[in-house]
């Protein structure tokens, strides 16, 4: 996927081709841009830092029994809890009344079974003493009582199970935390705004951390699943962790400001952009705390590219394979040799080891537009009037996703 920086470079090149006439005309000025500006245009550069939050990978949901009422809630949202800590208790008075009623019903069933058993025994004795003509009548009565007895025995078994469950609930009227973590939410009514059921209490489990970040429209494509990130403490730069982007949740975007999560990338376009949450799986979580705020940045490993880096489209090649750029020198264009270093595939940039400074201005290397001694300008010249309009390229050439307007 071509990133935002390369789109911007191509967009600028197209604007130049559409707005400027051939450089062979000595009156035409070539549009040049500052190296420092190109280094920070769109996307996320290796040095950019943005905010993140340590969250739990595992969230435990605790549901309450809808047939029971809560007597006391013992925790609040944001509380840290340990495994086995009491969370809430049911109303034991109602539970005890229900249990007493079940036990009374059990006694009634036991008495009924004893009565059926006695009646059957008496009828069997009488049937044995009666004549053959009367035995059928006793047999019918006995069979009817046996059916009633079987039904009563089944009801007794079911009632015994109900009593066991009630006694278990009564013994566990206080619900405890199954894991150590932090209370993420408590839903008193058990429903969201759309009527969907919610867990009564959700707990973010400790020890299974990952880092949550937010990517905006202008950073689309700069962070992808599989990208390595470096995470640093907000209080000490020498404490860091490393991880891999495991998920970008494009299915649940949100509108709003990025100022809460991003630092050092304050563009006007981001203040009302769509944001997409992403998650970083960490190589190690040692020393991290649940809810801790951290900084994140692209990780280039031990060979992290530093210094000047510009888009590869601004680097040209001579026939002998040497590299150069078209740079401004006292208002004139010159073909300046440069020494390139590492290539950053993620951002499609080259490190410039020699030949440029951040204060230099360079032009897109089009062979028809650029030649030694061509006059330069820091503004775009419109094709119709030739008037200079400061900043016109940035206002009309590129839109949020990096497409040419």
């Amino acid at each position: 996927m071509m990133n935002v920086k390369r789109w911007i470079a191509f967009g600028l090149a197209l604007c130049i081709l559409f707005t400027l006439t051939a450089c062979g005309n000595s009156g035409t000025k070539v549009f040049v841009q500052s190296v420092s500006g190109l280094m920070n245009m769109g996307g996320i550069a290796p040095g950019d830092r943005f905010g993140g939050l340590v969250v739990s990978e595992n969230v435990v949901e605790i549901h309450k029994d809808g047939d029971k009422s809560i007597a006391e809630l013992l925790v609040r949202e944001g509380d840290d809890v340990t495994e086995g800590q009491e969370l809430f208790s049911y109303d034991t008075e109602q539970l005890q009344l229900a249990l007493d009623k079940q036990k009374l019903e059990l006694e009634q069933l036991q008495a009924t079974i004893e009565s059926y058993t006695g009646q059957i025994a008496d009828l069997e004795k009488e049937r044995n003493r009666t004549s053959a003509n009367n035995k059928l009548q006793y047999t019918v009565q006995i069979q009817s009582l046996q059916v009633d007895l079987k039904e009563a025995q089944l009801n007794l078994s079911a009632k015994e199970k109900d009593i066991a469950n009630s006694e278990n609930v009564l013994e566990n009227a206080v619900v405890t935390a199954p894991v150590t973590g932090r209370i993420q939410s408590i839903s008193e009514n058990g429903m969201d705004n759309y009527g969907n059921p919610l867990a009564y209490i959700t707990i973010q489990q400790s020890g299974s951390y990952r880092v949550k970040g937010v990517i905006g429209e202008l950073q689309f494509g700069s962070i992808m699943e599989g990208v390595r990130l470096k995470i640093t403490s907000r209080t000490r730069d020498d404490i860091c962790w490393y991880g891999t982007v495991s998920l970008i949740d494009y299915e649940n975007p949100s509108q709003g400001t990025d100022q809460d999560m991003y630092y050092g990338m304050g563009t006007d376009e981001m203040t009302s952009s769509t944001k997409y949450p992403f998650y970083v799986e960490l190589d190690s979580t040692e020393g991290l705390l649940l809810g801790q705020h951290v900084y994140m940045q692209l990780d280039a490993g031990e060979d992290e590219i530093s210094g000047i880096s510009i888009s590869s489209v601004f680097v040209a090649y001579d026939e002998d394979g040497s590299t150069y750029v078209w740079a401004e020198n006292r208002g004139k264009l010159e073909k300046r040799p440069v020494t390139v270093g590492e290539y950053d595939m993620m951002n499609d940039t080259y490190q410039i080891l020699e030949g440029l400074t951040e204060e230099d201005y360079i032009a897109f290397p089009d062979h028809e537009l650029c030649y030694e001694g061509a006059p330069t300008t820091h503004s775009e010249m419109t094709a119709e009037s030739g008037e200079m309009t400061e900043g016109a390229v940035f206002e009309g050439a590129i839109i949020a996703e990096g497409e040419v307007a």
Side-chain angles (χ1 to χ4, degrees):
M1 179 183 294
M2 186 171 294
N3 58 32
V4 175
K5 293 183 178 181
R6 190 160 190 176
W7 275 113
I8 292 175
F10 279 123
L12 293 174
L14 289 174
C15 288
I16 293 171
L17 291 173
F18 286 137
T19 59
L20 300 182
T21 57
C23 278
N25 184 342
S26 60
T28 300
K29 294 184 178 181
V30 179
F31 178 65
V32 293
Q33 305 164 76
S34 70
V35 172
S36 61
L38 291 171
M39 290 173 59
N40 296 291
M41 189 180 300
I44 297 176
D48 290 338
R49 294 200 304 178
F50 45 101
L53 181 68
V54 179
V55 298
S56 175
E57 184 175 5
N58 296 327
V59 176
V60 178
E61 296 184 345
I62 299 173
H63 297 266
K64 65 179 180 180
D65 191 332
D67 297 330
K68 302 177 180 65
S69 60
I70 302 296
E72 185 179 9
L73 179 62
L74 305 173
V75 292
R76 296 178 298 178
E77 289 185 0
D79 285 355
D80 292 320
V81 296
T82 58
E83 183 177 353
Q85 181 176 335
E86 296 180 351
L87 301 177
F88 64 93
S89 61
Y90 289 115
D91 187 346
T92 57
E93 182 178 355
Q94 292 184 0
L95 291 174
Q96 186 63 55
L97 288 174
L99 178 59
D100 292 341
K101 181 180 178 182
Q102 289 173 338
K103 288 183 176 180
L104 179 59
E105 293 171 347
L106 180 67
E107 292 176 0
Q108 292 173 342
L109 285 170
Q110 290 173 336
T112 300
I113 291 173
E114 290 178 2
S115 175
Y116 288 152
T117 303
Q119 292 179 50
I120 292 172
D122 291 342
L123 288 171
E124 287 178 341
K125 290 179 181 179
E126 292 179 11
R127 185 180 61 177
N128 293 334
R129 291 195 299 265
T130 190
S131 63
N133 293 332
N134 294 326
K135 287 184 181 293
L136 179 60
Q137 179 181 354
Y138 285 101
T139 300
V140 171
Q141 293 182 47
I142 292 171
Q143 290 177 344
S144 178
L145 286 172
Q146 287 176 336
V147 171
D148 292 338
L149 175 62
K150 184 64 174 178
E151 182 179 356
Q153 290 173 335
L154 291 175
N155 291 336
L156 178 68
S157 177
K159 188 61 63 176
E160 288 174 340
K161 292 180 180 179
D162 291 340
I163 291 175
N165 290 334
S166 296
E167 289 176 337
N168 181 61
V169 172
L170 191 60
E171 291 174 0
N172 298 279
V174 177
V175 178
T176 60
V179 295
T180 297
R182 176 170 297 175
I183 304 297
Q184 183 182 39
S185 64
I186 299 175
S187 176
E188 292 289 353
N189 59 11
M191 296 289 179
D192 62 15
N193 295 332
Y194 303 98
N196 300 315
L198 292 175
Y200 182 48
I201 294 178
T202 57
I203 302 176
Q204 287 186 339
Q205 184 177 356
S206 300
S208 57
Y209 299 150
R210 59 180 177 175
V211 177
K212 177 183 179 180
V214 175
I215 185 171
E217 292 173 354
L218 291 183
Q219 285 77 48
F220 185 83
S222 297
I223 291 183
M224 297 175 289
E225 293 181 7
V227 168
R228 296 284 294 174
L229 294 181
K230 178 181 179 181
I231 294 92
T232 55
S233 168
R234 293 182 66 180
T235 57
R236 293 182 56 182
D237 288 337
D238 60 328
I239 299 178
C240 61
W241 301 264
Y242 295 89
T244 304
V245 176
S246 61
L247 172 66
I248 303 178
D249 194 357
Y250 292 115
E251 300 299 324
N252 296 290
S254 61
Q255 292 287 339
T257 175
D258 288 315
Q259 294 177 355
D260 294 337
M261 294 293 288
Y262 285 94
Y263 300 86
M265 296 186 292
T267 59
D268 292 338
E269 292 89 345
M270 290 298 292
T271 57
S272 60
S273 65
T274 300
K275 301 181 297 181
Y276 303 93
F278 66 90
Y279 298 90
V280 181
E281 298 296 334
L282 300 168
D283 298 343
S284 171
T285 61
E286 183 178 357
L288 283 173
L289 299 175
L290 187 64
Q292 179 179 351
H293 291 268
V294 294
Y295 288 128
M296 294 186 285
Q297 64 189 87
L298 295 175
D299 173 34
E302 297 181 356
D303 299 326
E304 182 175 346
I305 297 175
S306 60
I308 296 175
S309 295
I310 60 174
S311 172
S312 64
V313 299
F314 285 91
V315 178
Y317 294 85
D318 267 329
E319 294 181 358
D320 60 1
S322 60
T323 52
Y324 67 92
V325 297
W326 287 105
E328 181 186 48
N329 184 11
R330 298 181 180 181
K332 303 291 183 179
L333 206 61
E334 70 173 9
K335 183 179 179 180
R336 183 181 301 177
V338 293
T339 303
V340 299
E342 296 290 335
Y343 173 68
D344 183 356
M345 183 177 297
M346 173 59 62
N347 292 286
D348 189 33
T349 58
Y350 274 112
Q351 181 187 27
I352 304 299
L353 302 177
E354 295 180 356
L356 279 182
T357 67
E358 292 188 19
E359 290 73 28
D360 282 327
Y361 283 75
I362 59 176
F364 183 82
D366 187 276
H367 68 280
E368 294 182 355
L369 300 176
C370 303
Y371 61 93
E372 289 280 358
T376 59
T377 178
H378 295 185
S379 302
E380 179 194 11
M381 178 181 293
T382 61
E384 292 82 0
S385 63
E387 295 177 352
M388 310 302 292
T389 56
E390 189 72 35
V393 168
F394 298 99
E395 294 173 356
I398 308 298
I399 63 176
E401 282 78 17
E403 298 174 354
V404 179

